[in-house]
Amino acid sequence: MAGGTDARSQAGLFSLREILLAVWVTIASLITFNVVVRLFYREILGNDVGVPIHWPISKFAVRLGRLDVSRVAVLAALAIVVFAVATAYLLWIDRTSVWPVAVAGAVLLVLTTLTQGQGAGLIRPIDNGGSYYRAAVGVTDPVAFVTTFEANQLQLPLHARTHPPGAVLSFWVFDTLLPSTRAVSLVVGIGSLALSTLLLHRLLATYYPRDVAQYTTYLFVLLPAVQIYYLTTLDALITVAALGAIYCFTRDSPIVATFGTLACLFVAASQTFMTVFLGPVLVGLALLDRDRIAPLFVIGVASLGIYALVNVVLGYDYIASFLTASHQQNPNGFFPLAEPLRYLTTRVENVAEIALFFTPMLAVLAVRGVGVLWRSARGLSRIDREPLVVFGLATGSLLGLFVVGVYHTGETARGAMFIYPFLMLPVAAALRAADPTRRREALLAAAVFGQALAMQLVGDYLW
C-alpha cells in the first residue's frame, strides 16, 4: 500500500555544517528567548514568581555540578556504542525489520535514563508526591476506587486528580503484577516503546517503502522526548493508545477499524481527558474514505453506551469528573480571559517545547515534508492523501486545545507526547523525496540522538 509520494527532492539531507549551524541557531535562540521572556514577565506581567527559569522547558534543573562523572561517562560511552552498532546494522545490513529498532531504542532508553541514577531516573519520576503511582499503591479495591472517584478526586495527588481513574488503575495493575517500583518503571517504558515502535512502523509502511518506514521509526525512538520522558510516564501509555486508535482506523478491515479503534479509544479515554484530540482525526479519515463512516458511527454509539453503562453501574460520571479537573486547572476561570497575557506566552511556550524535544533538524524536515505531501496529495488516491490528513488534523486538533487554554505551564513534550508519532509522517515524506545517502542518514540519526543524550546529561527534568 506504499503511496506515490512526490519524488521531487529537497537535495538530500543535512550536511555536518548545516547540522552544526542548526545547533548554534537553536542555542542562540534559546538564550535570546530566555532573556526576552524574563523581561516580559517582570516588566509587563509584573510577576517574578512565575518567570520560566529555563524557557521553554517548564520543569528542568541543570545538574552538571551533581554528575557522578565516572558512572555517567561509562553509561554515555555504552549508549554511543549501542547507537553506532544499531545505526550501522539498520542502514547497511537490515533495511526493513522493525524489531532491531525497538531493541535498540529500548536499550538506549534505559542507558540514557540511568545517567540520572536509578533513584532519580527510575523511581523518583514514578513515585513522586503528585504521581498516579503514589495514588495507586493506596488502592485496595479498584471497583470502589472508581465508584468513589468523584467524591475523592480533589484529595488525590496532583496529577491523579486531573485525569480519569484509569490513570491510577493502570499503575495499580502494574504494581500488583510486578515486584518493585523499578520493575514498574522499566515495564512501562520498554513496553510502551516497543508497542509504539511497532504501530508507528506499520502505519508508516502503509504509505511509504519499508526502508523509509524503518528509518523514520528509528528517528522516532531517538527523539529527546522519547529518550527523556518515555520511561516511567503515563504519557507513554497514552501515546501507544492514541497511535493504536489511528492505526486501527486506517486498516481496510471493518472489524479492525471498528473494534480495534474502539478498544484503543477506551484505553486512551480512561487515562486522559485529552482523548478528545483524536476526534477530528477520525472524522477527517471517515470523510476521506466513506467506507469508514459506518465504523465511526458504531464507535460513537458504542462510546456513548460505555459512558452510560459506567455511569449507571459504577456511578462514575466522566463529564462531571472532567469539569472538576478543569476547574482544578483553572481556579480563576477560563484561562484566556482570566490571565490573557500569561495565556499568550504559555501558548508560545507549548509549541516551542514540542519543537525543542523534536529537534530542529526534524522540525525542518517536517516542514519540507508538508510541502511534499501537499504536492503529492492533489488529485491522487486516498493512500497519498491520508498522511497529510492525519498530520494536519492531529496538529490542528492539538493547536485547538492550546487555543482553549490547555497546558498552562508547558510540559507539552511530556503531556502532549501523543503528537510526536504524527509529526513523523511528514518527516517520512521528506525522507522519501530526498532519497539520501546512507552517510547522510547516519549523520541525521547521530544529530537527533546526540541532542537527546546531551539534554539527558545536562538536565534534570522534574515534573
Side-chain angles (χ1 to χ4, degrees), residues 70-80 110-112 114-117 453:
S70 59
R71 176 179 56 80
V72 169
V74 171
L75 289 168
L78 283 174
I80 292 170
V110 173
L111 289 174
T112 59
L114 284 178
T115 62
Q116 300 274 355
L453 181 59

Side-chain angles (χ1 to χ4, degrees), residues 37-43 45-47 50-52 342 345-346:
V37 166
R38 285 181 182 138
L39 285 174
F40 180 83
Y41 267 77
R42 287 169 180 161
E43 300 301 326
L45 298 184
N47 182 8
V51 177
R342 183 166 169 266
T345 60
T346 54

Side-chain angles (χ1 to χ4, degrees), residues 203-204 207-208 373 386-387 390-391 421-430:
L203 181 64
L204 291 169
Y207 312 113
Y208 306 108
L373 286 173
E386 274 189 8
V390 172
F391 165 78
F422 304 110
L423 296 181
M424 300 308 295
L425 286 168
V427 170

Side-chain angles (χ1 to χ4, degrees), residues 2-51:
T5 304
D6 192 337
R8 284 173 287 186
S9 174
Q10 300 287 341
L13 293 186
F14 306 101
S15 66
L16 177 60
R17 180 179 179 182
E18 290 171 327
I19 288 175
L20 292 175
L21 178 62
V23 171
W24 182 85
V25 169
T26 301
I27 294 173
S29 299
L30 288 174
I31 294 172
T32 301
F33 273 106
N34 269 277
V35 172
V36 172
V37 166
R38 285 181 182 138
L39 285 174
F40 180 83
Y41 267 77
R42 287 169 180 161
E43 300 301 326
I44 305 299
L45 298 184
N47 182 8
D48 282 331
V49 177
V51 177

Side-chain angles (χ1 to χ4, degrees), residues 351-421:
V351 175
E353 188 174 55
I354 289 174
L356 176 62
F357 281 78
F358 191 55
T359 76
M361 290 73 66
L362 293 189
V364 170
L365 279 184
V367 172
R368 290 181 184 176
V370 170
V372 171
L373 286 173
W374 179 258
R375 290 192 299 270
S376 67
R378 290 181 297 178
L380 298 179
S381 69
R382 72 174 179 83
I383 294 300
D384 297 287
R385 296 197 302 268
E386 274 189 8
L388 182 62
V389 169
V390 172
F391 165 78
L393 291 176
T395 53
S397 182
L398 180 61
L399 290 174
L401 292 175
F402 290 165
V403 168
V404 298
V406 175
Y407 301 111
H408 284 205
T409 57
E411 299 182 69
T412 48
R414 176 192 57 80
M417 190 184 294
F418 49 76
I419 194 62
Y420 285 105

Side-chain angles (χ1 to χ4, degrees), residues 101-123:
V101 177
V103 171
V107 173
L108 291 173
L109 176 66
V110 173
L111 289 174
T112 59
T113 302
L114 284 178
T115 62
Q116 300 274 355
Q118 290 197 39
L122 298 180
I123 298 175

Side-chain angles (χ1 to χ4, degrees), residues 238-247 249 261-269 272-286 296 299 389-390 393-398 401 418-419 422:
I238 295 169
T239 299
V240 172
L243 181 55
I246 300 305
Y247 170 76
F249 199 66
T261 304
L262 181 62
C264 291
L265 284 176
F266 176 78
V267 172
T272 177
F273 295 115
M274 293 300 101
T275 305
V276 66
F277 148 86
L278 293 170
V281 185
L282 296 176
V283 171
L285 286 170
L296 183 63
I299 290 168
V389 169
V390 172
L393 291 176
T395 53
S397 182
L398 180 61
L401 292 175
F418 49 76
I419 194 62
F422 304 110

